[in-house]
Amino acid sequence: MKQASLARRYARGIVATAGTDPDYRSLREELGRFAALLAEDEAANTGLSTFLVPLPVRREMVENVAQRLGCGKECQKVLTLLVEENRLPLLPVILEQMDLLWDERNRRERVVVRSASPLTPEQTRRLEQNLGRSFGTTVVVEPRLDPTLMAGLAVIRGSTTYDFSLSGNLKRLRQALTSER
């Protein structure tokens, strides 16, 4: 819990400094590349996250890796701060929180839509429009394939699931029939 709260504070500061949507997207993408590198390179992750490596060496390592990844100055500043404060292990959680805060700031809501087959771009666009009208906000659909669904969709908004799948309908029908007895 403490780490999530801490990650949200860092994310809040990063989002507050991101001016425009393109600036945010660029910074988010650069930080995401760095996080992906840390996730796949255990030695780099350990080296940048341990007190056994002196801080000046860790700063230099972050700078070199960030430059090789094509990270801009803002990204390098964020990464240097995280290394100095020994918060680099929080980067994946910070990225998640950044996305939530950026969407909140821009009055966007992400919903996960599970479907048995891939959604076409047109279906995704129509879902975003219709859900946006229903929810009263701009909706960004994150499609997910779910082979357990026979047909239809399941829309997940926060902790609420709207199940419009065939299996969901059959389940509701079974409940209705058994509750009448």
Side-chain angles (χ1 to χ4, degrees), residues 128-140:
E128 287 174 341
Q129 288 177 339
N130 292 335
L131 292 172
R133 269 195 301 274
S134 295
F135 297 157
T137 185
T138 302
V139 171
V140 178

Side-chain angles (χ1 to χ4, degrees), residues 63-113:
E63 189 177 304
N64 290 336
V65 171
Q67 285 176 352
R68 283 195 201 116
L69 290 174
C71 295
K73 292 285 184 210
E74 290 302 312
C75 178
Q76 289 182 29
K77 286 180 190 176
V78 169
L79 292 170
T80 300
L81 174 68
L82 293 176
V83 164
E84 288 173 349
E85 299 294 324
N86 297 307
R87 302 294 187 224
L88 201 55
L90 292 177
L91 185 56
V93 182
I94 291 170
L95 291 172
E96 289 173 12
Q97 292 297 314
M98 284 172 55
D99 290 341
L100 293 172
L101 291 167
W102 186 256
D103 286 344
E104 185 179 299
R105 174 178 166 177
N106 290 288
R107 294 186 173 99
R108 269 193 306 248
E109 185 173 355
R110 292 184 185 275
V111 297
V112 174
V113 175

Side-chain angles (χ1 to χ4, degrees), residues 34 43-49 53-68:
F34 196 91
N45 191 12
T46 303
L48 289 170
S49 303
V53 177
L55 182 57
V57 174
R58 286 186 283 147
R59 271 194 212 116
E60 187 177 336
M61 286 170 59
V62 162
E63 189 177 304
N64 290 336
V65 171
Q67 285 176 352
R68 283 195 201 116

Side-chain angles (χ1 to χ4, degrees), residues 120-163:
T120 66
E122 176 62 19
Q123 289 171 324
T124 302
R125 185 188 63 72
R126 284 195 347 250
L127 266 171
E128 287 174 341
Q129 288 177 339
N130 292 335
L131 292 172
R133 269 195 301 274
S134 295
F135 297 157
T137 185
T138 302
V139 171
V140 178
V141 167
E142 294 181 357
R144 301 275 196 288
L145 284 179
D146 185 349
T148 63
L149 298 177
M150 290 183 252
L153 334 148
V155 177
I156 303 165
R157 179 187 190 202
S159 62
T160 304
T161 299
Y162 303 94
D163 191 348

